[in-house]
Structures are given as structure tokens and as C-alpha cells.
Amino acid sequence: MTAYDALMSHDRQTRALGQISGRLSWDQETMMPSGAVDQRAEEQGAMEAVLHARRTDPQVGGWLDAAEPETDVAAASIREIRRGFERASKVPAELATALARLTSKSQGIWAEARRANDVAAFLPVLEEVVALKREEAQAVAGNSVNSPYDALIEDYEVGITGAELQTMFDGMRPGLVALRERALAGQAGPAISGSFACDVQMSLANEVAERFGYDKTRGRLDLAVHPFSSGSGDDVRITTRICEDDPFNCLYSTIHETGHACYEQRIDPAYRLTPLGHGVSMGVHESQSRIYENQLGRGRAFCGWLFGAMTDRFGDIGVADADAFYAAVNRVHRGYIRTEADEVQYNLHIMLRFDLERALVGGDLTVKDLEAAWNDRFEADFGYAVDKPSNGLLQDVHWSVGLFGYFPTYSLGNVYAGCLYKALTSQVSGLDAALAQGDPSPATTWLQTNLQTHGGLRLPKDTITHACGEEPTSAPLMAYLEEKFTALYPD
């Protein structure tokens, strides 16, 4: 067995164990009894101890030094294993285990605090999480010129820094604010109304997921407090949530998570349980979920089909025709929740979180001051006050499970999606005609061929450049938003 073969064999087993750990997390958010939180925290801590030991095994370093790649796939695999090995080796095993144990427990505390709208119940454990994440970030950053927060971003998007993201967001913000103000100053768009039975919503959600290409023989759709996708290869699971008076919450959360899941399901099977057998970054992953949800799912053509599907199931939904339905789906309105935000305002929600978590990790903001900082920033950005914690600081699961550095990838994914949609529409004919029949396959097949099948073969930016034929910028996204919402909300 060559050094490369030994390296890949070891890595394959490590990734299989990581999938099991991920399944424990899925179970915790969907099926696990509430009384099992403390035990699950111990189980996750034990799993992380095993995984950390395997990821930092000195043999891995020896194999990396001796391995001789003979193909581009082998070179990319070595690149990814080396990056993970060097990163894991900087984090003490005790810290990695403590973080896994704490964040498993913290997630349950957050969920209960969110239900009770009780920030005080969540802040003590969040303070512990932030302290450990600061310690981890400093360990990984070491003497690097980049900040500790940049070290956390690298976990989700290799090759970009907080400063670069800040420049991008600063460039996008004026156009987004101006577009939002124009929309809100105009006539309010129509809204659907009625009571939408949960079982019917779930039936339609399952159909929509399959129409977008989700393979239910290798996945399942369940309910969770916060929708998410989990797994890779032949076991990719998604979740959604249901509000009886807001079926869009369920349907568009489902389409969003289907984008994530289809990316994982459509990676070249030869890459399964290898360093290339998963989405290359969260920014690229979000490009898939956002283009499925927004450019395709909220486009006029698909909305025409969805209007018919909903009226068939629910009867009168409060809007008269497909045009009014399209306007309702894309309605710009005041709201608090990031996952329910329209395309114009969504990135402003992300910019708020990006600035706050960057300040938290950098030590410029304390956990005890976080709620006030959130509420002040929200009112300054959106023009009205947060009415309750579940609509403010407690709405997202991310910080409870230690996902600092994750939030900016949502907006980066929107930027990438704008670039992909520009390339897609220039190369695929008959797209709207197919979408009007409830068939997104011309678009999803293009995405599979040009991006999804390649998994982690290329670095994130190179993945988008390869698919689009040009380097990504925010210009296509901003042009798409300007055209779409100016038409919906003319002066």
C-alpha cells in the first residue's frame, strides 16, 4: 500500500465516523426526546474525541509528506486532507471535545429559551460557547496576519477574509437599502390568506422537493425548529417547518434545503467518503440552495405552476391569479425573521449578524451586551424595534452550536447564485417554459453538470469561476434584484 493509499483509507474511515456524528445531530433536532440532551452531549463529546484523534494522528502527517499524487483528483484530495490536518492539529483535543459537548447541550438550551422568549436562560451557556470559540479561533490563527475571526471563516469558506467580506457587503448595502426603501414606499404587494392544513403542506413540500430533483430513496423530509440539511452521498436528509397561516415558510424552506441536498446527492459517486465527496464550501452550498429557492422557485414561471398546485389543494388562497401570486411570493414587507425575508432585505439580515459575531469573537462586544446591540442595530437598519427575543437574538440556531463565521456565507452564496443564474440563463433555452410546467430540471441539470458533480475538486472561488466562465462578483446579483423588484415595485 502506497502512502497515498494508506492516507485515503484512514481518511475514509474518519469521514464515515463523521457522518455518524452528523446523524446524531440530525436526530437531536428531529427525533430525540427532550430529556436526552445531557446524554447526547456526552455522546457527541466522545465522538469528537475519537474524530479529533484520527484527524491529528501523526501518521497522517507522515503519509501527507510521502504521498505522491498522480492525478488532479489525488492532488485535490491531499490538499483537503492537509488543510484539515493542519487545522485540527492546532486545536487541543480537550478543547475540541469540550466544544462538541457544550454545543450539543447549548442547542437544547437555546431551543427552550426560544420557545419561552427567555434570553436570560440562554446567555450563560452562550457566554461559555463564545469563550471556547475565541480560544479555538486564537489557536488556529496563531501568529497569522489574519484575525482569529478569519480563522473561523476558513472553516466554511476557504480563501476569503472578514475584510474582503466587509468590502463586498459595504458595496452592496447602499443598493439594497435604496431598493428596499423604494419597495416599502410603494403600494404593498398582495398577500395570500387562509388556513393551510399541515398534512397538505407536507404533501406539497415533498412533491416540490422531488420536482427539484431530491432523491427520496436516499433522503427524507422531516420537521425541525430550524430547517437544515444533513449528510452526503446516499444519506442526505432535509427538514422544514410549518406555520398553518404561512405555507410559504414550509415550501420555500423545503426548496432551499433541497438545493443543499441535491448538491450532496449529485456529487460524483467516485468521490463518496473522500475529501472531495461533499460541497466544497458553505458559500458554494448556499449558492445552490439560494438559486433553487429564489431565482428558480420564486421566479414568475415556477410561481405560475405553484399557484395552480396550491389552489388545487387549498382552494381559495386569497389571490386571484398567477400574477398576484407571484407578487405575493416576492412581497417586500416589514419582518423580523431572516429565513422569511424577501430577497431584497435578506442580505441586510446577514450583514447585521456578520458585524455582531465579528465583534464578539474579536472581543469588542460582550455576550451580556449582545441583545441590546442586536436590537439597536436592527432598529437602525430596518426602522422598527424587535418585538420579542424569538424575533431577534434567539431566532437562529447557529451561535448556540458554535457556528461563528458561518453567517457571511449566506450572502456570499447569494452573490455566487447571481453569477450562476446569469450563466445558466445564457446557456439554457426553454427554461421558463419548463418551469411553468413545474419542471426545474433544465436548470438543475445544468447546475449538476457544471458545479454539483465536481464536489470539492476545486477551491470555492474556482468552482464558481469554472461553472460561470468568469470570476464571481456581486454585480450579477445586484442587477438581477434591481430588475426583478423594480418591475414588481415601479416608481
Side-chain angles (χ1 to χ4, degrees), residues 221-233:
L221 173 62
D222 293 281
L223 295 174
V225 174
H226 192 106
F228 68 98
S229 175
S230 173
S232 65

Side-chain angles (χ1 to χ4, degrees), residues 21-40:
S21 178
R23 213 82 71 243
L24 288 174
S25 296
W26 169 86
D27 176 73
Q28 181 167 350
E29 293 202 48
T30 56
M31 304 286 187
M32 189 187 81
S34 59
V37 169
D38 288 343
Q39 180 173 315
R40 180 56 50 86

